[in-house]
Amino acid sequence: MTNPDTGHGKKAAFMTEAIGIEPHIRDMSSRKQAVLRTQHEYGMPNRVETWLGAGVPMVIDRREGYRLWDMDGHEVQDFHINGGTYNLGHRHPDCVAQLVKGLETLDVGNHHFPSEVRGQLSRMLAEHTPGDLHYTVFTPSGSEANDVAIKTARKVTGRKKIVAYDFAYHGNSGFSGAVGENTNAKYFNSAFEDQFLKVPYNDIDALEAVLKHEDVALFMVETLPATFGFPLPDPNYYTQVRALCDRYGTLLLADEVQAGMMRSGKLWAFEHYGFVPDMMVTGKGLGAGLYPIGALIMTRPVGAWLEENGWGYVSTFGGSELSCFVGIKALEITVSKSTRKNVADLAIYMRQGLDTLRAQYPFFCDIRQLGVIFALGFNADMGGMQMAAALYKEGLWAMFAGYDRRYLQFKLGLLADRAFCDEALGKLEAALKKVNG
Ligand SMILES: Cc1ncc(COP(=O)(O)O)c(C=O)c1O
């Protein structure tokens, strides 16, 4: 079995040794073999080999709610949900209907001109964010929203340096890829390490040592670092972070691409920690898994460049009308009373089941949780990876934490129910017995 190398090692993320794919696909249907051969040949050679080698030979065919069916029929519960992209499930009927309705009259629109639906979604985001967060710039992805945030911070402060957690993931475009964990940026000779600095998560002294020189434009935080396995901060950490940023003239950004959109039990995870950032980024679930969208939301003073430079950021697809129309529906469902109530119920119910298993299986040694964000810790360096492969066989797909592979990211959808949790807990127990029975 080859191991996806996702960070601590020297190789770029997920880079593995070449293996031939033919021995791995021999028993598959001819349709699935054809897909794998085509993807291997024309775009994903290493990725195809890595998944085959890791025992997760998934080619997603049907998808509905929180379930996926592989092309050869293997059914899995989706606990990956692409980091919250499928918060509301795959192909949520109301969101699909909204997209279909949008297609009757809309297309991506013309990004140079004002738009009714874009305006509507901007206003909704301002209404659903605390403090002075006000102006929204829409982008086609979370990465690009982070790029715009970095340029904004440099413009506002006149400084160049950007600081992030050493094991944060903020995206893979030019600037966002250089921030935080930068193995891949180095691989592409694009790390710019004199400008993109790193500090350990949850270490206020290390942050002050960097900020005190008063030359840092922006401190970017993944409120809960997802790829690092969602470690929780000390209770006062973020209020101290806010105070340090204010003292040293550094702007603060909360990247809520994974932790936001109600996954934490509040719409934005930073609301648990008593601070309001100067900028925040969301994406993924805002498009309901149907239409790509990212959003950077800024306070009025930080976003003041929008008042003087209407074309400071332009993107053909950023804020496309179809994405905004779907986003309006996704946000409406996400903030509804019934969704909030369901998340609160699932958070308690799933936790009880996990606690019971943890008490029985010493290999299952840690549970991290905020709302329906869960990371499960296992007593082995690659425990999260081992469990991901074992769970896949049992009929559940969850992604290990790439920057700390002892952990499995266990992402429960906002609209799941108790029966879905029970089914998952049964599979978790079966996998635990096989991996470390
Ligand atoms: C915390 C975080 N920020 C930013 C991004 C980048 O978003 P996108 O893939 O839409 O560019 C991701 C993607 O996984 C993410 O998890």
Side-chain angles (χ1 to χ4, degrees):
M1 172 168 154
T2 43
N3 291 337
D5 189 332
T6 54
H8 291 293
K10 289 199 180 70
K11 288 176 193 162
F14 289 91
M15 206 167 88
T16 51
E17 305 305 329
I19 60 165
I21 69 166
E22 291 305 322
H24 295 268
I25 67 174
R26 202 177 294 134
D27 298 329
M28 296 175 185
S29 65
S30 55
R31 184 176 167 226
K32 186 167 165 183
Q33 285 182 349
V35 172
L36 289 169
R37 286 197 190 103
T38 307
Q39 281 275 266
H40 187 254
E41 177 68 21
Y42 292 107
M44 291 188 166
N46 182 258
R47 221 180 269 198
V48 168
E49 292 179 9
T50 300
W51 287 125
L52 291 177
V56 185
M58 180 157 60
V59 177
I60 297 167
D61 196 7
R62 208 180 126 206
R63 70 281 326 246
E64 214 67 58
Y66 297 107
R67 289 180 196 273
L68 303 169
W69 286 264
D70 166 73
M71 199 162 258
D72 279 355
H74 185 52
E75 177 181 333
V76 292
Q77 292 180 281
D78 190 359
F79 274 74
H80 181 184
I81 57 169
N82 284 38
T85 306
Y86 303 108
N87 251 344
L88 304 177
H90 292 268
R91 304 171 41 74
H92 187 290
D94 294 354
C95 297
V96 171
Q98 179 88 342
L99 179 56
V100 169
K101 187 173 160 209
L103 282 165
E104 287 170 10
T105 54
L106 301 173
D107 50 22
V108 296
N110 183 327
H111 58 296
H112 291 285
F113 292 97
S115 137
E116 184 175 24
V117 290
R118 197 183 305 123
Q120 225 176 312
L121 185 58
S122 316
R123 189 173 58 215
M124 281 174 79
L125 286 168
E127 286 166 0
H128 286 289
T129 45
D132 297 335
L133 289 164
H134 180 79
Y135 283 133
T136 294
V137 168
F138 291 108
T139 59
S141 69
S143 302
E144 213 171 316
N146 281 324
D147 281 1
V148 181
I150 288 167
K151 289 195 289 190
T152 297
R154 288 175 164 177
K155 165 75 187 150
V156 171
T157 63
R159 303 173 180 178
K160 270 258 161 60
K161 288 182 182 166
I162 310 296
V163 177
Y165 299 138
D166 45 9
F167 289 110
Y169 179 77
H170 292 286
N172 230 320
S173 55
F175 289 152
S176 73
V179 175
E181 209 287 333
N182 66 354
T183 312
N184 225 12
K186 282 188 191 155
Y187 176 78
F188 286 107
N189 196 18
S190 301
F192 312 113
E193 287 179 285
D194 53 329
Q195 293 179 17
F196 293 93
L197 313 179
K198 304 191 233 182
V199 291
Y201 176 62
N202 210 16
D203 183 337
I204 202 71
D205 295 335
L207 181 64
E208 179 152 28
V210 175
L211 296 193
K212 72 179 181 194
H213 304 294
E214 302 198 350
D215 60 355
V216 173
L218 178 65
F219 181 38
M220 297 178 69
V221 301
E222 243 193 297
T223 314
L224 296 182
T227 316
F228 200 27
F230 295 114
L232 301 179
D234 293 339
N236 295 328
Y237 173 67
Y238 276 121
T239 47
Q240 291 174 294
V241 165
R242 179 70 270 183
L244 282 186
C245 287
D246 291 343
R247 185 176 317 150
Y248 296 118
T250 295
L251 294 177
L252 177 60
L253 175 140
D255 179 339
E256 294 264 334
V257 168
Q258 287 232 20
M261 293 296 283
M262 207 60 81
R263 298 204 47 67
S264 70
K266 294 183 189 278
L267 184 56
W268 312 115
F270 65 76
E271 296 178 276
H272 289 273
Y273 299 111
F275 77 102
V276 180
D278 302 298
M279 294 188 265
M280 59 161 287
V281 164
T282 183
K284 290 201 189 269
L286 188 59
L290 292 170
Y291 215 98
I293 185 166
L296 166 66
I297 307 155
M298 301 173 274
T299 63
R300 257 181 213 270
V302 169
W305 61 266
L306 291 162
E307 295 160 11
E308 64 179 22
N309 186 350
W311 279 261
Y313 169 76
V314 273
S315 162
T316 305
F317 300 128
S320 68
E321 297 198 33
L322 285 169
S323 74
C324 291
F325 197 56
V326 171
I328 289 166
K329 181 57 73 184
L331 193 55
E332 269 172 20
I333 298 171
T334 302
V335 299
S336 71
K337 228 176 174 176
S338 67
T339 300
R340 287 177 194 270
K341 194 165 165 293
N342 200 53
V343 169
D345 180 63
L346 290 179
I348 294 167
Y349 190 76
M350 182 59 108
R351 179 61 190 239
Q352 283 166 349
L354 291 171
D355 280 339
T356 305
L357 286 181
R358 189 183 157 203
Q360 284 171 265
Y361 296 89
F363 180 63
F364 177 17
C365 59
D366 193 17
I367 301 170
R368 294 168 173 169
Q369 181 194 4
L370 192 65
V372 290
I373 297 172
F374 290 95
L376 314 184
F378 300 98
N379 219 342
D381 282 354
M382 297 291 163
M385 280 179 71
Q386 287 173 276
M387 285 297 292
L391 278 164
Y392 181 73
K393 288 197 182 70
E394 296 301 327
L396 186 156
W397 170 236
M399 183 81 171
F400 54 89
Y403 300 149
D404 185 349
R405 282 166 275 172
R406 295 169 305 165
Y407 281 85
L408 183 74
Q409 303 177 60
F410 200 68
K411 300 173 193 174
L412 180 59
L414 304 185
L415 305 179
D417 60 21
R418 289 181 173 206
F420 188 82
C421 295
D422 290 340
E423 186 184 332
L425 289 163
K427 290 171 182 173
L428 184 58
E429 177 156 30
L432 280 165
K433 281 187 179 143
K434 288 197 179 131
V435 171
N436 205 272

